[in-house]
Amino acid sequence: MTLKTFWKKELYNLFNYCKEKGKRVEINDLFNYSKVNKSIEVLQHFEPEKGYYLAFSGGKDSQCIYHLAKEAGVKFDAHYNLTTVDPPELVWFIRNNYPDVIIHRPEKTMWQLIIEKKSPPLRMSRYCCAELKELGGKGRVVITGVRWAESVRRKSNRALIEAETNQGMRVRYNQDNEESRKQLEICPTKGQHILNPIINWTDAEVWEFLDSNNIEHCVLYDLGWERIGCLGCPMNRKAGEDLEKYPKIKAQYIRTFQKMYDKRIESGLTCSKWTSGQNVYDLWVGNNKKQQIHVELF
């Protein structure tokens, strides 16, 4: 197919698409339609016999992959993992707007994990993600809303397709070709294979897809949140500011840090810069980078 024939076909499909949606054709629609169409084709191309395991967080990216999977007509089941430090507005949003999403409760709460690990969740030690959010989808092809635009790190270590090998290593592919498909099929199913259909989408393109399809989003975005996640997430530089709006959860963190501190003392572990649960909390959410780095040394 020549480039001219390709764009002629795309324009024809675009006009039909816009006609179905009841909207006028804009210049940018061609590029947006092309990217949406490509993501749908990827989902259809790699659809497993058992269907996809869709990792749903209630944020804009997971909403995007949920509705793309619907448009693609592929089989999937969506799952949300409660962490016990979820923003209440987010849980309400998921239950009200996505009743088919399966909500999983963890075996251990965040509070139990902090005491057990004898450390707060930190940037370099996010045991909370492994214990509370990343347990599902074993032996399945998992769809996620991971995007390169989210961070430099994701740009360098995430791909369109990620297949787990026998040795537990993750092989990455950025082409939706037959080789990638075969790799997903021959890799052992005890591992977790990941498909990131919007890996190359920008923030603007995600919002354009949601808004153009009149898809309601979580109210937290309207309150200034750029990314939605756990309250107190160490990857959120505004964690302390956010927790001020949830005094009961803040108080629970302080009580838990006190129990964690007491357990460290009982275990003979050093606590040279920690003097109490309140002190640990202040260092943990503080804006002083030297203090934060010192906490991470423990």
Side-chain angles (χ1 to χ4, degrees):
M1 181 186 295
T2 66
L3 187 61
K4 181 178 180 180
T5 304
F6 169 78
W7 283 114
K8 184 177 180 180
K9 180 181 176 182
E10 287 293 291
L11 279 169
Y12 175 78
N13 290 334
L14 171 64
F15 277 106
N16 286 334
Y17 174 79
C18 290
K19 185 177 180 181
E20 290 177 5
K21 297 289 183 181
K23 60 179 288 189
R24 290 179 56 190
V25 180
E26 304 289 345
I27 295 297
N28 289 333
D29 284 338
L30 178 57
F31 302 98
N32 292 336
Y33 170 76
S34 182
K35 190 164 280 190
V36 168
N37 203 38
K38 185 64 177 177
S39 296
I40 288 174
E41 288 176 357
V42 165
L43 286 166
Q44 292 171 337
H45 184 71
F46 290 101
E47 182 181 7
E49 185 176 341
K50 293 193 298 183
Y52 290 110
Y53 179 105
L54 192 147
F56 193 79
S57 70
K60 64 183 187 303
D61 298 329
S62 66
Q63 283 186 271
C64 191
I65 58 171
Y66 175 95
H67 290 282
L68 282 170
K70 287 282 190 182
E71 286 202 30
V74 296
K75 183 180 178 182
F76 72 92
D77 38 274
H79 301 259
Y80 175 73
N81 291 315
L82 281 172
T83 64
T84 65
V85 285
D86 316 80
E89 298 91 339
L90 176 61
V91 179
W92 295 334
F93 173 73
I94 294 172
R95 285 177 172 162
N96 291 333
N97 292 272
Y98 296 91
D100 59 325
V101 170
I102 302 166
I103 298 179
H104 301 275
R105 293 186 177 276
E107 293 184 5
K108 296 179 182 178
T109 66
M110 173 67 87
W111 320 120
Q112 291 172 316
L113 284 174
I114 289 173
I115 297 169
E116 180 182 296
K117 301 293 184 180
K118 304 184 187 71
S119 169
L122 304 168
R123 284 176 175 266
M124 301 302 292
S125 178
R126 287 181 289 142
Y127 55 79
C128 42
C129 289
E131 298 274 356
L132 299 174
K133 298 179 71 173
E134 299 170 356
L135 295 176
K138 294 297 181 183
R140 303 281 302 278
V141 178
V142 180
I143 312 175
T144 84
V146 165
R147 293 183 297 111
W148 287 326
E150 291 178 295
S151 70
V152 174
R153 183 179 178 183
R154 287 192 170 180
K155 177 70 174 176
S156 62
N157 68 6
R158 302 306 298 265
L160 174 66
I161 303 114
E162 300 171 11
E164 197 170 306
T165 68
N166 271 319
Q167 293 74 34
M169 297 178 64
R170 186 170 290 179
V171 182
R172 300 176 179 86
Y173 298 89
N174 278 314
Q175 297 294 325
D176 58 326
N177 52 27
E178 197 60 30
E179 178 187 352
S180 302
R181 181 169 182 168
K182 286 179 180 178
Q183 186 64 36
L184 282 185
E185 291 173 349
I186 65 176
C187 278
T189 55
K190 68 177 181 179
Q192 185 189 72
H193 308 322
I194 299 173
L195 185 66
N196 303 313
I198 59 170
I199 189 75
N200 62 339
W201 287 38
T202 65
D203 286 4
E205 287 165 342
V206 170
W207 283 119
E208 169 64 22
F209 174 78
L210 296 178
D211 293 342
S212 64
N213 288 283
N214 297 314
I215 299 169
E216 183 181 353
H217 56 262
C218 182
V219 69
L220 290 173
Y221 287 116
D222 300 325
L223 297 176
W225 289 48
E226 295 178 1
R227 295 177 65 181
I228 294 178
C230 299
L231 292 169
C233 176
M235 302 304 290
N236 179 9
R237 296 187 181 278
K238 295 181 179 180
E241 181 182 329
D242 291 339
L243 280 167
E244 290 300 319
K245 302 166 188 173
Y246 302 89
K248 289 184 178 180
I249 295 180
K250 174 186 174 181
Q252 183 62 52
Y253 266 119
I254 294 171
R255 286 194 295 270
T256 302
F257 287 156
Q258 183 63 53
K259 293 177 182 178
M260 176 207 77
Y261 172 79
D262 293 340
K263 189 167 184 179
R264 286 181 66 91
I265 296 296
E266 291 173 7
S267 303
L269 297 173
T270 57
C271 296
S272 59
K273 293 293 182 179
W274 295 350
T275 59
S276 67
Q278 180 68 59
N279 171 251
V280 173
Y281 178 85
D282 292 339
L283 289 171
W284 184 59
V285 301
N287 293 321
N288 187 317
K289 291 185 178 180
K290 291 184 179 179
Q291 289 180 328
Q292 289 176 334
I293 291 172
H294 192 91
V295 170
E296 292 187 5
L297 292 178
F298 291 96

